Amino acid sequence: MTKRHYTGSCACKRITFEADIDFSAGTHKCNCTSCWKRRWWSVKAAPEDFRVLTGGDAMGPDGRSCATCGVVLFRHAPVADWNPTAYVSVSVASLDDLAPEELLAAKVTYYDGRADNWWSTPAEVRHL
């Protein structure tokens, strides 16, 4: 496990955050309608490794996007039946200091949310 410190923001820079993330643990893409329409590509951060720095009051009503520019930055995933460990799902596109080479080197895990078969890889993933 090799965590590295990253900073991130929305498009208008009202919301900024920092996170310590281990890209060697992989990234995630899903084919469910929500993820597909947002082109969501995420990486997990432990809740204690994630901090909103500025603009917490600028969050939209969903608590994960900027009310001004609309960029979805992250979402908190609490402990649930399907999720034994809480985490923050961070949009890789919102990370300001992530080198493309580092992102491309990270493993991607795909989820078949469209078929409600979350523990399987969809038959086709090239479009994700």
Side-chain angles (χ1 to χ4, degrees):
M1 177 192 274
T2 306
K3 288 183 187 177
R4 187 175 148 229
H5 184 79
Y6 295 91
T7 58
S9 64
C10 61
C12 70
K13 304 287 188 191
R14 277 192 76 192
I15 300 171
T16 62
F17 66 90
E18 63 183 4
D20 300 315
I21 299 170
D22 178 10
F23 268 87
S24 71
T27 63
H28 312 276
K29 290 184 178 185
C30 175
N31 69 353
C32 76
T33 303
S34 177
C35 292
W36 164 247
K37 290 187 180 282
R38 287 184 288 136
R39 306 299 292 153
W40 187 251
W41 187 357
S42 65
V43 64
K44 292 179 181 179
E48 63 272 14
D49 291 339
F50 180 86
R51 296 155 297 283
V52 173
L53 300 174
T54 63
D57 60 337
M59 296 298 290
D62 62 3
R64 56 187 175 190
S65 65
C66 176
T68 302
C69 68
V71 170
V72 179
L73 302 159
F74 54 84
R75 78 172 188 84
H76 294 273
V79 172
D81 291 340
W82 58 270
N83 181 41
T85 306
Y87 63 91
V88 180
S89 181
V90 178
S91 167
V92 298
S94 69
L95 296 172
D96 297 327
D97 50 358
L98 173 63
E101 300 79 24
E102 189 175 2
L103 179 58
L104 291 171
K107 176 185 162 213
V108 179
T109 299
Y110 296 93
Y111 300 102
D112 192 4
R114 181 163 287 189
D116 201 23
N117 188 7
W118 301 94
W119 291 267
S120 296
T121 300
E124 181 59 72
V125 297
R126 292 176 297 174
H127 64 295
L128 299 176

